């Protein structure tokens, strides 16, 4: 498939103003989507997106772009399905190509416990109006003929859940599409502008300190992914966020061989094939906390071993590149969204290994939260205080390897 | 793959070790006196610094003893490793 021509500049490069009604920290997918929906849904345009590096240079352009909504719990299903519905109309809304391709996802089950959990998740998904099916090994092979469903492997495939509406998109085009629309609405996107500290007055932040001077603000909306806790440390706000390197890799370009997305939590790998033809693979985070944007090679080796076991046809494919992003994980594998002890500081973080798919959904709901100063119903269950009340949204089953 | 110096076994490959997260978290002295907020802090909230971090590691595939490391989370370089002690 050929990729579209892009104009030389999709957004302006403005000098920061001295005051904005809303300062969004972080120019990744979530910050840019929040900016777009602030303008589109709420008419709020005196907004800056401050990005310390280049636009979408964080996880937004490092992720493997899997989009799905087949999460177990009602709270997660609601926000991810809201997001998936927005993906389905996003190209028109942004008036920009994003190569969203709904090719479906198979989440493989390899043990009896896997099978029970998977069937339960299918039933839960259906009750939430999400497309989900349970498939036996033969049906898995019909959808994806290159998966090894024989008994000859260490953990034979016992079946899979299938969500036909799941898919992939082109991550950088998504970021550029949001950025272009936010810019058109008058929002300032300011790159090479690192937020280093906050100026505080009582329980309000009056300005953000940046590498390009102080900027006064009405509301601060944190969308800094893996660096969120570093910023909140400056305010003395503790969170249960832990930052880890998460790696992914691509093969050389191949003819189309892989028609869908395959994920395996038990064997520990997931694979899709991008539009250009490279196989895109990943698994779980590197074990230790890290901000180094690189991970250990043994983690890659394990993923490759799992991939070759499940897809014998990949044995001779060459690994082209591997890389890492810094993801912010939480104890229950669910995000942290909403208020902080500072009245005008709102946080959107903790999406860990799975926040790309949420980009339009959280942009929509977080913009609404910022605009009205109260949690949108879709994000209310993800407030920071759930770690005190005990109302966790434990998505480890649906989110471990499967981003 | 990097080498981690076990205080007992010497330099070993990192795959022999398990990560144990932030070091020096003391179990509450008077557990029944804690409210929900304090329990949440003990159970779920951890430091997450960008820079030097005092951590626990266990030499799982070797002597199986716990050690206390100070590691830079930006470079992953270990500044020190020593036996994990109650008075750490
Ligand atoms: C290898 C990998 C694979 C993944 N695969 C998937 C997947 O298949 N599906 C899925 O749904 N999710 C996936 N994810 C997760 C997903 O990428 C993230 O959850 C999501 O991108 C986070 O939101 P974001 O785009 O806003 O983050 P980011 O793009 O990381 O944006 C945060 C931005 O904040 C900026 N920033 C940080 N500190 C400051 C500061 N002090 N001042 C100014 N700016 C600052 C950063 O530079 C960065 O650009 C994956 C992640 C990785 C790393
Ligand atoms: Zn040892």
């Amino acid at each position: 498939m050929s990729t579209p021509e892009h104009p030389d500049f999709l957004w302006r490069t403005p000098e920061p103003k001295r005051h904005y009604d809303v300062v969004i920290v972080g120019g990744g997918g979530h910050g840019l989507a929040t900016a777009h929906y602030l303008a589109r849904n709420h008419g709020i345009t005196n907004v800056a997106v401050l990005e310390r590096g280049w636009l979408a240079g964080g996880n937004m352009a490092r992720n493997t772009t899997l989009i799905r909504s087949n999460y177990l719990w009602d709270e997660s299903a609601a926000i991810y399905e809201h997001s998936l519905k927005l993906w389905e109309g996003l190209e028109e809304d942004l008036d920009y190509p994003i190569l969203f391709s709904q090719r479906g996802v198979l989440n493989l089950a390899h043990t009896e416990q896997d099978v029970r959990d998977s069937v339960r998740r299918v039933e839960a998904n259906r009750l939430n109006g999400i497309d989900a099916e349970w498939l036996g090994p033969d049906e898995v092979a019909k959808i994806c003929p290159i998966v090894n469903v024989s008994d000859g492997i260490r953990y034979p495939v016992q079946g899979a859940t299938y969500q036909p509406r799941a898919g992939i998109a082109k991550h950088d085009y998504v970021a550029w599409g949001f950025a272009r629309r936010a810019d058109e609405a008058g929002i300032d996107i300011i790159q090479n502008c690192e937020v280093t500290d906050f100026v505080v007055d009582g329980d309000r932040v009056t300005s953000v300190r940046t590498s390009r001077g102080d900027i006064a603000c009405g509301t601060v909306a944190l969308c800094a992914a893996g660096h969120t806790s570093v910023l909140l440390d400056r305010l003395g706000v503790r969170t249960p966020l832990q930052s880890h390197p998460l790696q992914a890799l691509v093969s050389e370009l191949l003819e189309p061989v892989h028609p869908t997305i395959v994920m395996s939590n038990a064997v520990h790998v997931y694979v899709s094939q991008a539009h250009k033809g490279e196989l895109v693979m990943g698994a779980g985070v590197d074990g230790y906390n890290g901000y180094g944007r690189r991970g250990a090679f043994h983690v890659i080796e394990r993923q490759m071993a799992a991939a070759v076991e499940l897809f014998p046809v990949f044995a001779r494919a060459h690994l082209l590149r591997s890389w890492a992003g810094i993801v912010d994980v939480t104890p229950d594998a669910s995000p942290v969204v909403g208020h902080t002890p500072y009245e005008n500081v709102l946080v959107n973080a903790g999406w860990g290994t799975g926040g790309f798919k949420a980009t339009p959904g959280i942009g929509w709901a977080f913009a609404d939260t910022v605009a009205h100063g109260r949690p949108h119903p879709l994000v209310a269950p993800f407030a920071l205080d759930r770690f005190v009340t005990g109302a966790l949204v434990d998505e480890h089953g649906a989110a471990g390897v499967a981003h | 793959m990097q080498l981690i110096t076990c205080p007992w076994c010497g330099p070993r490959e990192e795959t022999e070790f398990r990560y144990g997260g932030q070091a020096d978290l003391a179990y509450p002295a008077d557990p029944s006196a804690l409210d929900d907020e304090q329990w949440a802090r003990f159970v779920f909230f951890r430091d997450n610094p960008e820079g030097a971090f005092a951590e626990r590691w266990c030499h799982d595939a070797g002597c199986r003893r716990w050690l206390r490391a100070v590691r830079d989370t930006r470079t992953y370089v270990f500044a020190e490793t020593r036996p994990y002690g109650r008075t750490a």
Side-chain angles (χ1 to χ4, degrees), chain A residues 227 229-230 238-243 245 287-294 296 298 331 387-388 392, chain B residues 1-2 14-15 19 22 36-37 40-41 44-50 53 57 71 73-76:
Chain A
H227 284 82
S229 70
V230 175
R238 275 177 77 76
T239 62
L241 301 170
Q242 297 279 287
S243 298
Y288 48 68
N289 291 31
Y291 290 88
R293 282 185 178 172
R294 63 196 169 85
H298 66 260
F387 297 97
V388 175
L392 304 186
Chain B
M1 186 178 309
Q2 68 170 334
E14 100 182 69
T15 48
Y19 187 56
Q22 183 180 347
D36 289 352
E37 170 91 35
R41 284 177 191 279
F44 295 121
F45 288 61
R46 296 288 178 270
D47 293 345
N48 187 29
E50 186 175 17
F53 193 25
W57 288 79
R71 191 179 57 98
T73 60
R74 291 164 301 193
T75 60
Y76 310 160

Side-chain angles (χ1 to χ4, degrees), chain A residues 3-348:
Chain A
T3 50
E5 295 285 321
H6 302 283
D8 287 345
F9 295 99
L10 287 164
W11 54 86
R12 297 162 295 131
T13 304
E15 278 304 307
K17 291 191 274 187
R18 298 299 24 129
H19 174 273
Y20 291 96
D21 294 339
V22 180
V23 166
I24 297 173
V25 184
H30 290 201
L32 294 167
T34 302
H36 168 63
Y37 292 113
L38 274 174
R40 178 191 185 276
N41 294 353
H42 306 282
I44 297 174
T45 56
N46 185 21
V47 177
V49 179
L50 308 183
E51 167 53 50
R52 69 174 192 168
W54 66 94
L55 190 134
N59 296 327
M60 184 58 178
R62 294 165 191 264
N63 74 79
T64 47
T65 83
L66 307 185
I67 297 164
R68 63 192 175 89
S69 63
N70 56 353
Y71 283 69
L72 176 64
W73 299 106
D74 294 352
E75 295 85 350
S76 327
I79 179 100
Y80 288 112
E81 177 60 17
H82 175 66
S83 196
L84 181 48
K85 291 211 169 84
L86 289 172
W87 279 110
E88 290 174 328
L90 199 57
E91 221 166 78
E92 294 84 90
D93 181 22
L94 298 180
D95 189 22
Y96 200 76
I98 55 168
L99 307 191
F100 180 47
S101 157
Q102 289 179 289
R103 54 185 62 189
V105 63
L106 291 165
N107 293 79
L108 303 182
H110 300 269
T111 64
E112 278 181 37
Q113 187 60 41
D114 259 0
V115 172
R116 281 192 289 267
D117 291 344
S118 301
V119 171
R120 175 185 178 205
R121 187 162 47 73
V122 164
E123 300 297 350
N125 288 164
R126 286 188 175 169
L127 288 172
N128 278 315
I130 292 169
D131 55 322
E133 293 165 51
W134 168 253
L135 305 180
D138 294 348
E139 295 162 298
V140 169
K142 259 182 230 148
I143 289 171
C144 189
I146 57 173
V147 180
N148 183 1
V149 294
S150 77
D151 278 343
I153 61 175
R154 177 68 185 84
Y155 296 103
V157 174
Q158 315 247 342
T161 69
Y162 184 49
Q163 183 180 24
R165 285 164 61 243
I168 57 175
K170 187 121 174 63
H171 42 27
D172 36 12
Y173 294 3
V174 176
W176 300 343
F178 276 118
R180 190 183 68 133
R181 293 282 266 142
D183 176 86
E184 276 172 5
I187 290 174
D188 286 353
I189 295 168
I190 301 164
Q191 303 180 77
N192 300 310
C193 183
E194 177 171 6
V195 174
T196 53
D197 209 346
F198 303 91
V199 181
V200 170
D201 180 14
D203 64 355
R204 289 183 66 81
V205 164
T206 53
S207 310
V208 294
R209 292 247 129 101
T210 82
S211 53
R212 298 175 66 174
D214 286 6
I215 300 174
C217 52
T219 302
V220 182
L222 297 178
C223 292
H227 284 82
T228 304
S229 70
V230 175
L231 283 162
L232 284 173
D233 279 350
R234 312 287 323 180
L235 287 168
V237 175
R238 275 177 77 76
T239 62
L241 301 170
Q242 297 279 287
S243 298
H244 287 263
L246 175 64
Q247 304 190 69
L249 57 104
V250 290
S251 74
E252 63 201 313
L253 306 189
L254 302 168
E255 292 298 314
V257 286
H258 184 17
T260 182
I261 304 160
V262 172
M263 311 187 127
S264 165
N265 271 8
V267 181
H268 223 72
V269 73
Y270 64 86
V271 189
S272 69
Q273 187 170 20
H275 295 86
K276 272 190 306 184
E278 65 268 44
L279 299 168
V280 183
M281 302 186 208
V285 296
D286 278 47
Y288 48 68
N289 291 31
Y291 290 88
R293 282 185 178 172
R294 63 196 169 85
F297 195 69
H298 66 260
V299 175
I300 298 280
E301 273 183 314
R302 259 189 81 199
Q303 296 175 20
M304 300 296 281
V308 170
E309 173 112 325
L310 282 177
F311 300 91
V313 66
F314 295 167
R316 282 159 192 274
H318 292 118
L319 167 63
L320 203 64
R321 293 179 282 127
S322 70
W323 66 90
I326 302 305
V327 298
D328 42 340
V329 302
T330 62
D332 60 355
S334 286
V336 168
V337 187
H339 284 85
T340 68
Y342 287 84
E343 192 200 325
N344 63 333
V345 178
L346 296 167
V347 63
N348 164 50

